[in-house]
DNA sequence: AATGAATGAGGGTTCATTCAT
DNA sequence: GATGAATGAACCCTCATTCAT
């Protein structure tokens, strides 16, 4: 008879919020941002349409929150990478991470790739994503230089494009693309 | 006041059709497929909205025809590539083509990349695009083998991903991405 | 931890109810009936949305109760008016009341004026308001006749319209409308 | 087989636009701005909902255009008023106009009165309406002074409030309010 | 007595498509 | 061949109301 406590409410809220985020990510990955309707997300999440707006300001905000939570995850991964001993180990860790990431975060990755062409529609996002990318690059260059690669700047950008392309093709072709073989090849080339 | 001849009509038709295709490509590249309205295409092309449906069955069909015309162009390029003497020349021709293509067919390329994630919405397209890609790959592997690369199959797929990624990044970052440097680097690596 | 007594409960209830009524009146005056949300009222009153439905059947019912409480107030004013000695005193009392009322019950008056155009949406209200008005008129006519005005019926209706209009303009123009001057003018004309 | 000429289209457009304006005014007067839905307007006008947005940018814009067309009408009336010979004639013309206007433009007048409380929601409108009102007042004062009234400024404002109130009551009470009697009384008082 | 998560009908608006001319 | 007025389904979003706690 007493109203719920704040803690109880927090649990309920977080549960609903996560159900919606999961459903949205699932649909965005398959049908794209415009192809996914808020009604569809509600249906997929098993909640009423209106509830979504208790947790998200707008459809854009759902994307925003999905990406933000992905970014905060990536910070952990990055810390782990930097904890590796040698430059070779760091590179290997990176490649292995890409392998796992592409396989297990397929939907999230697809969303990111689709967004790449329209970041300007998500004002809060673009700065954060760009900042992330530009802060990563020098570290990546450093690691590559440490493995003995000459002209590491150029090579880093090329390798970065290569991994981008691998992600791209894996998403388009799925099992028809030999992801494992490609990652192994990169390890072979860069972590001798 | 005599009626137009069939030939005259054909010229007029082709002219209008091309104006619409050009306008549509321009808008698709900037605003995406969903962000572009048929009215907008008509306005950009300087024709009436209704006319579009004289030449195209639907909005999807416009994309279809844009892509088909791009594919038929690529056949000519491919013929020219195969006319090169040595494997090195062929590789160099390919890289130079990528360089030019990315710079000059920016809009078309952007459209293709955006479509990559949603080919299933364009039923007639998916088979053709996939067929094109799979028919290219063995020839590409052959050329690479001729340049002396070992394990050409694997390398071809990796290089293909790399070029894909270069295109990707060039489209996202535009002038901030050192396209020329990347292409030069590839030429250096593969056409010594 | 003993349960509250009935009397204590009654006090609490009346306090909450009044907080809600006050908040609602404040918002209705600024944003109108449709522009005011029940959530907004709850926020302004500092109570939970759900509590409102413990005291009011619906959003309409809030308006209903605001107006009813205003009417019961006006009964007191009317008794005081009738207690004045001369007809001139009664008229003066009336005009001074209008002056004070317009200044101090701005929000309530604004609500009433806004409702005037849509009484049929508040079924319980229309009869009461109309009854009030029609019961007042003969008394008003009597007072006016007592001041020596000829054709008091006509004059009463015109004066009634004038005061209505003064209220109207004061609400639209606020300080830009010379309320005091207008009231003084009426006193001058009718209470020589 | 030829497309419609521009003139033909103009006729069609103006016809549809007017049907929508008429339907909207009808509904606004009965149900208010918020109580009237765009779907309802479309139904009342006998057109598809979407057509409304060929002619009006938004629901607000419908109101805007209704009011603007009313204002341009009022300019003609005003010119006619000023063409009267004597001040008495001008006053009589004014009162007669109010009589006719209240009877025949009932819906438009009701809309105006409802808007008075929320002009700030119609940004383009407020300046125009206020400018209209403030430009009228001095002329009105002048006429009143010419009829021999002392302290014409004060009297003009009071009379203005009176007419406002008459409009108000006529709209609320309709036939139960003796409009003709009131207007006759004003003529008697001011145009002896 | 009080809370706020949840519901779903209905709002304004956009846009691909049709069709009379 | 060409026009653009007209259609209506579907979109995102708001909000009065309910109800388990």
């Amino acid at each position: 008879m007493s109203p719920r406590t704040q803690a109880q409410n927090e649990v309920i809220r977080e549960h609903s919020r996560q159900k919606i985020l999961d459903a949205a990510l699932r649909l965005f990955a398959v049908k794209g941002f415009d192809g996914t309707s808020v009604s569809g997300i509600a249906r997929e999440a098993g909640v009423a349409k209106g509830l979504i707006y208790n947790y998200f300001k707008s459809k854009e905000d759902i994307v925003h929150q999905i990406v933000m939570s992905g970014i905060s995850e990536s910070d952990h991964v990055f810390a782990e990478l930097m904890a590796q001993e040698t430059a070779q180990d760091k590179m290997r860790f990176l490649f292995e991470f890409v392998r796992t990431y592409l396989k297990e975060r397929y939907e999230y990755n697809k969303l990111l790739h689709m967004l790449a062409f329209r970041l300007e529609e998500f004002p809060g996002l673009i700065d954060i994503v760009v900042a992330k990318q530009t802060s990563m690059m020098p570290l990546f260059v450093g690691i590559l230089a440490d493995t003995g690669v000459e002209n590491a700047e150029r090579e880093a950008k090329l390798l970065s494009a290569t991994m981008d392309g691998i992600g791209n093709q894996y998403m388009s072709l799925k099992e028809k693309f030999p992801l494992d073989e490609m990652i192994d090849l990169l390890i072979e080339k860069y972590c001798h």
Side-chain angles (χ1 to χ4, degrees), chain A residues 15-79:
Chain A
H15 181 68
S16 290
R17 189 176 155 276
Q18 200 59 53
K19 266 200 305 189
I20 294 165
L21 283 175
D22 291 347
L25 178 52
R26 228 143 46 223
L27 293 184
F28 285 149
V30 175
K31 308 156 82 124
F33 181 74
D34 297 295
T36 299
S37 72
V38 173
S39 305
I41 295 173
R43 204 178 315 117
E44 173 87 8
V47 303
K49 206 182 351 172
L51 187 63
I52 292 180
Y53 292 89
N54 279 15
Y55 299 104
F56 304 94
K57 288 204 312 288
S58 64
K59 195 180 161 188
E60 272 83 8
D61 190 37
I62 303 178
V63 169
H64 185 94
Q65 295 200 27
I66 291 175
V67 174
M68 292 308 284
S69 101
I71 283 181
S72 90
E73 272 182 54
S74 81
D75 287 341
H76 294 104
V77 173
F78 184 67

Side-chain angles (χ1 to χ4, degrees), chain A residues 75-177:
Chain A
D75 287 341
H76 294 104
V77 173
F78 184 67
E80 212 178 333
L81 182 154
M82 291 312 274
Q84 304 297 311
E85 289 246 330
T86 70
Q88 266 81 7
D89 287 346
K90 284 175 182 157
M91 288 304 293
R92 191 187 314 270
F93 184 94
L94 175 62
F95 292 137
E96 291 298 349
F97 170 69
V98 169
R99 189 205 305 267
T100 318
Y101 173 78
L102 288 179
K103 286 179 180 170
E104 296 183 356
R105 300 301 307 274
Y106 179 78
E107 287 164 344
Y108 178 69
N109 191 38
K110 193 160 177 186
L111 177 60
L112 279 193
H113 266 82
M114 294 184 321
L115 288 178
F117 296 113
R118 41 196 302 191
L119 269 180
E120 69 279 2
E121 292 173 44
F122 301 83
L125 228 47
I126 190 160
D127 299 329
I128 295 167
V129 170
V130 168
K132 207 82 214 163
Q133 285 175 350
T134 56
S135 75
M136 288 293 179
M137 189 49 87
L139 296 160
F140 185 39
V141 174
I143 296 171
L144 212 56
D146 289 346
T147 66
V149 165
E150 278 179 53
N151 233 326
E153 180 103 358
R154 273 169 43 169
E155 294 288 344
K157 278 173 182 156
L158 189 66
L159 181 51
S160 169
T162 299
M163 289 190 293
D164 200 6
I166 287 174
N168 234 10
Q169 303 220 353
Y170 181 61
M171 277 180 316
S172 292
L173 306 176
K174 202 99 196 241
E175 324 78 24
K176 276 177 277 185
F177 183 75

